[in-house]
């Protein structure tokens, strides 16, 4: 009898402990601009190894296009910014569990992602491409047959290469942008799924050998907050409108993209920019 009671008690204690842990790992409470101002800093999730979007310099400073945009938003709120470098697969969990307040993290605006996070209006344009050797003819999706292709696991290029490559292609998924680029540079793979800025990194590693071969998808990036956070979403959208109008976005584009600021869409199918 005593043994049975102890067993039940232990089970109840274990269940309570599990519930506590699960609660800690669950969705974070909503945050507002006023609460960010009250705590005295904006905590931003950003990529740490994906130039020119987000990267850490040799001096340990977070830099890149997203870093500049996030710094401008923190200035708009009147608080300093604290950056949390994240891998591709950790971006959304870091936001939804409350580790960061917002993502300025090369977040391509995709319908599936819009089910998990709230996107802002777009502030930058991108494209998903395939990079391959200049000596190799790759003009159609069918030309990827039998190639070994590197992608960053869970990123937009993973989705597009998986969708478009023939079944005979081998897709190797790496934990982040830098390892996938290194896989191409070191000869582990023949081709690389990436965005329009991967070529700059590939060229530095293997000058004159590779080029963009195929374009799979045009994309736009937005800031991300948690679902239902109406006030901070509205605040970021107002900020995006402001930097488009006052020339600050053009300055960031001139610095990092070196192309004109594009026309941004007023809407994207199945991707709301505002909280209803």
């Amino acid at each position: 009898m005593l043994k049975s009671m102890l067993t039940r008690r232990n089970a109840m204690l274990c269940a309570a402990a599990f519930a506590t842990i699960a609660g800690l790992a669950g969705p974070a409470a909503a945050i507002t601009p006023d609460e960010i101002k009250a705590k005295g800093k904006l905590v931003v999730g950003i990529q740490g190894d994906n130039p020119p979007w987000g990267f850490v310099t040799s001096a340990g400073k977070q830099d890149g296009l997203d870093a500049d945009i996030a710094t401008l938003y923190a200035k708009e709120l009147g608080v300093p910014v604290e950056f949390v470098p994240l891998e591709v697969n950790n971006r959304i969990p870091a936001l939804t569990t409350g580790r960061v307040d917002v993502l300025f993290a090369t977040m391509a605006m995709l319908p599936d992602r819009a089910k998990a996070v709230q996107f802002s209006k777009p502030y930058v344009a991108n494209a998903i491409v395939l990079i391959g050797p200049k000596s190799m003819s790759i003009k159609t999706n069918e030309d990827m047959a039998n190639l070994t292709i590197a992608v960053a696991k869970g990123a937009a290029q993973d989705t597009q290469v998986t969708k478009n490559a023939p079944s005979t292609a081998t897709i190797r998924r790496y934990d982040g942008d830098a390892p996938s680029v290194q896989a191409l540079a070191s000869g582990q793979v023949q081709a690389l799924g990436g965005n329009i800025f991967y070529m700059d990194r590939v060229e530095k590693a293997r000058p004159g050998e590779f080029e963009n071969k195929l374009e799979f998808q045009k994309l736009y990036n937005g800031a991300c907050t948690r679902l239902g956070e109406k006030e901070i979403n509205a605040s970021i959208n107002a900020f995006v409108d402001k930097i488009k109008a006052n020339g600050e976005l053009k300055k960031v584009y001139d610095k990092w993209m070196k192309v004109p600021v594009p026309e941004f869409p007023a809407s994207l199918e199945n991707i709301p920019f505002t909280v209803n």
Side-chain angles (χ1 to χ4, degrees):
M1 176 69 176
L2 179 59
K3 182 178 179 181
S4 176
M5 291 175 63
L6 288 173
T7 300
R8 286 197 300 272
R9 183 174 182 272
N10 288 341
M12 291 173 65
L13 288 172
C14 288
F18 179 81
T20 299
I21 293 169
L24 290 173
I31 195 165
T32 66
D34 285 344
E35 288 168 340
I36 291 170
K37 293 174 185 177
K39 74 175 181 176
K41 64 180 178 181
L42 174 70
V43 183
V44 173
I46 193 168
Q47 289 199 281
D49 67 349
N50 190 16
W53 308 102
F55 61 97
V56 178
T57 68
S58 57
K61 177 182 178 293
Q62 185 73 51
D63 208 352
L65 182 147
D66 280 331
D68 283 359
I69 297 293
T71 300
L72 286 171
Y73 180 58
K75 182 180 178 181
E76 184 77 8
L77 296 178
V79 296
V81 63
E82 177 183 303
F83 289 112
V84 178
L86 301 169
E87 294 290 348
V88 171
N89 284 340
N90 294 336
R91 292 175 296 180
I92 290 176
L95 176 66
T96 56
T97 59
R99 187 179 170 199
V100 300
D101 299 325
V102 60
L103 295 176
F104 286 93
T106 328
M107 288 296 292
M109 302 175 74
L110 302 171
D112 283 348
R113 285 181 179 169
K115 297 174 184 176
V117 296
Q118 176 62 55
F119 279 104
S120 71
K121 293 180 179 180
Y123 62 86
V124 69
N126 196 3
I128 301 303
V129 300
L130 184 81
I131 296 168
K134 289 182 178 179
S135 60
M136 188 176 291
S137 178
I138 306 174
K139 297 181 179 179
T140 68
N141 289 347
E142 288 68 32
D143 292 332
M144 290 187 283
N146 302 315
L147 292 183
T148 301
I149 305 169
V151 295
K153 182 169 59 179
Q157 53 265 34
D158 185 354
T159 301
Q160 287 302 312
V161 171
T162 301
K163 174 183 175 182
N164 290 288
S167 60
T168 53
T170 299
I171 302 171
R172 292 184 179 172
R173 296 173 174 86
Y174 294 84
D175 290 326
D177 299 278
S180 66
V181 173
Q182 180 58 30
L184 181 68
S186 62
Q188 298 174 52
V189 299
Q190 297 163 290
L192 170 66
N195 62 51
I196 54 176
F197 293 102
Y198 270 41
M199 258 311 300
D200 182 59
R201 300 164 73 177
V202 172
E203 182 66 17
K204 288 176 181 176
R206 298 275 294 274
E209 295 185 41
F210 294 91
E211 63 186 1
N212 288 337
K213 293 291 189 177
L214 302 173
E215 182 176 300
F216 297 120
Q217 184 181 30
K218 290 189 181 298
L219 292 174
Y220 297 93
N221 295 353
C224 293
T225 51
R226 289 174 283 272
L227 293 173
E229 291 186 332
K230 189 170 186 175
E231 291 182 40
I232 191 168
N233 168 254
S235 171
I236 294 173
N237 280 338
F239 159 74
V240 170
D241 286 341
K242 181 177 179 179
I243 62 173
K244 288 176 182 176
N246 68 11
E248 289 289 349
L249 183 60
K250 182 181 184 303
K251 290 179 183 177
V252 175
Y253 249 78
D254 288 346
K255 177 180 177 181
W256 295 108
M257 309 287 274
K258 296 178 174 46
V259 295
V261 178
E263 290 291 326
F264 292 101
S267 63
L268 291 171
E269 188 175 2
N270 297 321
I271 306 171
F273 301 167
T274 59
V275 179
N276 295 326

